[in-house]
Amino acid sequence: MTVLITSGSAYSDIDAFACATALAEALQHKGQTAVAWLPGPPNLTIPAEFHHHPAFGLSCPAGKYDVILVDLSDPAHIPDELAVEQVVAVFDHHFGHEEFWASSDAKTFIEPVGAAATLIWEEILSLKIAQYLSAVVLKALCCAIVSNTACFRLPLTTQRDRDALETIEGMLAIETDWRERFLREMDDGIFKNLKRALTTDTKIIQLTATQSFCVGQIEVHDRARAIESLGSLVAAGEDLPDIVVVAARSVERTSLVSTRIKVAEKLADFYGVKVAKKDALFECRLPSFQLRKMMLQDFSRVMLD
């Protein structure tokens, strides 16, 4: 049976793209019929050179499939066109749904690494076909690991992430200074298209049947520029998500930004920090460097209070 490799439907980031396309190509080299399909539009973590990849289909390819989920384990976010019963394997680095998959027949690889791409690379190594992968998917895997670990600055980075990136870079024969160039290019894209960056990198968290909240994220070098740019969006009449995670590499710290003072005060109380006001924005500066995926459970507790 054909294997369909997919991720969430709201948007696609570089980790989902790299995982889906690399695993599909690997399985094809093993003689399986495999296709990568990403229903969510590419966000600005994905370099423009990948935006027209055939994985970004407008509709689910026709046919019956065994489904592999990558960078996704929440069953609520499986594309509507597919059923949970079709899932035969799950590769993810987000926690919270292990019990659900334990009661299913799917093989699960939900592990504490910086990037889901690292899990896919390890799977490719186990299949013994790494040498046959195209430069396109190898580069995508590199971009995913660099993006998801903020070039190894995040505390969730593991030696497995480092080993994977260094091995793939060696296969591509590229210099390590490409990493910072890639991050700077991603920054430029975010600041030039900040509204789109937020729209395509916002998660909706369902607390109860009637209560939900939105968390956007931008990972950039310059915190001050990010706060100023968010303020300009609000001044122009644009709405922001309930919480915007601003992960600033230059200071290796994260700010939580909201236009709602009550939300900011709840966050400040939870994390033991102060609220700083700048025009219509309220900012909580955390003492550590974190991405949204590391704080979602905290946010849920805060918003339920």
Side-chain angles (χ1 to χ4, degrees), residues 5-8 11-23 38 43 45-47 50 56 69-72 91-94 111 113-121 137 140-149 156 161 182 186 291 293:
I5 305 160
T6 192
S7 192
Y11 60 84
S12 299
D13 64 16
I14 185 60
D15 209 10
F17 172 78
C19 289
T21 55
L23 186 56
L38 295 168
N43 71 9
T45 66
I46 300 180
F50 299 132
F56 296 111
L69 300 179
V70 293
D71 197 31
L72 173 69
F91 292 85
D92 198 13
H93 60 149
H94 304 98
E111 301 182 30
V113 291
T118 296
L119 300 177
I120 297 300
W121 176 248
V137 299
L141 288 167
C142 286
C143 291
I145 296 171
V146 169
S147 176
N148 273 255
T149 64
L156 50 70
D161 299 298
F182 161 65
M186 192 166 66
L291 293 183
K293 60 190 174 186

Side-chain angles (χ1 to χ4, degrees), residues 56 72 77 93 102 105 109 135 137 150 172 207 210 228:
F56 296 111
L72 173 69
H77 293 154
H93 60 149
D105 294 328
F109 305 86
V137 299
L172 288 171
L207 294 174
T210 59
E228 183 178 345

Side-chain angles (χ1 to χ4, degrees), residues 14-296:
I14 185 60
D15 209 10
F17 172 78
C19 289
T21 55
L23 186 56
E25 190 171 296
L27 292 178
Q28 289 163 11
H29 281 295
K30 292 296 288 185
Q32 287 188 262
T33 303
V35 60
W37 174 58
L38 295 168
N43 71 9
L44 293 176
T45 66
I46 300 180
E49 64 191 277
F50 299 132
H51 284 196
H52 299 292
H53 193 282
F56 296 111
L58 295 178
S59 59
C60 184
K64 294 183 179 180
Y65 302 99
D66 285 335
V67 173
I68 297 178
L69 300 179
V70 293
D71 197 31
L72 173 69
S73 55
D74 186 345
H77 293 154
I78 294 174
D80 293 339
E81 296 88 342
L82 305 172
V84 171
E85 293 74 23
Q86 293 175 266
V87 178
V88 296
V90 179
F91 292 85
D92 198 13
H93 60 149
H94 304 98
F95 291 87
H97 301 282
E98 295 86 345
E99 289 186 12
F100 176 89
W101 294 109
S103 64
S104 75
D105 294 328
K107 294 181 179 179
T108 57
F109 305 86
I110 303 176
E111 301 182 30
V113 291
T118 296
L119 300 177
I120 297 300
W121 176 248
E122 292 173 347
E123 178 69 8
I124 289 168
L125 290 179
S126 74
L127 295 173
K128 302 185 185 304
I129 44 75
Q131 67 272 27
Y132 301 115
L133 294 184
S134 68
V136 171
V137 299
L138 290 174
K139 183 177 180 182
L141 288 167
C142 286
C143 291
I145 296 171
V146 169
S147 176
N148 273 255
T149 64
C151 205
F152 303 149
R153 293 179 176 90
L154 286 170
L156 50 70
T157 301
T158 69
Q159 189 60 43
R160 292 163 68 182
D161 299 298
R162 296 177 185 275
D163 291 345
L165 180 61
E166 290 168 9
T167 300
I168 303 169
E169 285 178 334
M171 293 174 66
L172 288 171
I174 54 177
E175 300 296 328
T176 55
D177 67 352
W178 80 270
R179 302 173 184 177
E180 293 299 332
R181 291 202 309 272
F182 161 65
L183 291 174
R184 287 196 298 271
E185 289 169 3
M186 192 166 66
D187 279 11
D188 290 342
I190 287 171
F191 285 121
K192 289 177 182 177
N193 304 276
L194 184 55
K195 181 180 177 180
R196 179 176 169 234
L198 284 172
T199 300
T200 58
D201 203 347
T202 291
K203 287 187 178 291
I204 300 174
I205 311 302
Q206 198 70 39
L207 294 174
T208 66
T210 59
Q211 185 182 3
S212 64
F213 68 100
C214 300
V215 185
Q217 175 172 274
I218 53 173
E219 180 206 322
V220 294
H221 181 76
D222 190 335
R223 183 204 65 84
R225 184 183 178 190
I227 301 301
E228 183 178 345
S229 297
L230 289 170
S232 297
L233 270 187
V234 174
E238 300 289 347
D239 292 327
L240 296 186
D242 298 299
I243 302 169
V244 178
V245 176
V246 178
R249 295 187 300 274
S250 60
V251 290
E252 297 192 12
R253 291 179 62 179
T254 293
S255 289
L256 307 178
V257 178
S258 182
T259 56
R260 299 165 55 189
I261 180 60
K262 290 185 178 179
V263 170
E265 287 175 344
K266 285 183 177 182
L267 292 168
D269 183 61
F270 183 88
Y271 288 105
V273 298
K274 295 180 180 180
V275 177
K277 186 178 187 301
K278 180 174 176 58
D279 300 323
L281 298 181
F282 301 95
E283 177 189 6
C284 301
R285 298 183 190 177
L286 304 186
S288 59
F289 189 36
Q290 303 185 60
L291 293 183
R292 175 182 54 202
K293 60 190 174 186
M294 304 162 65
M295 298 182 283
L296 285 178

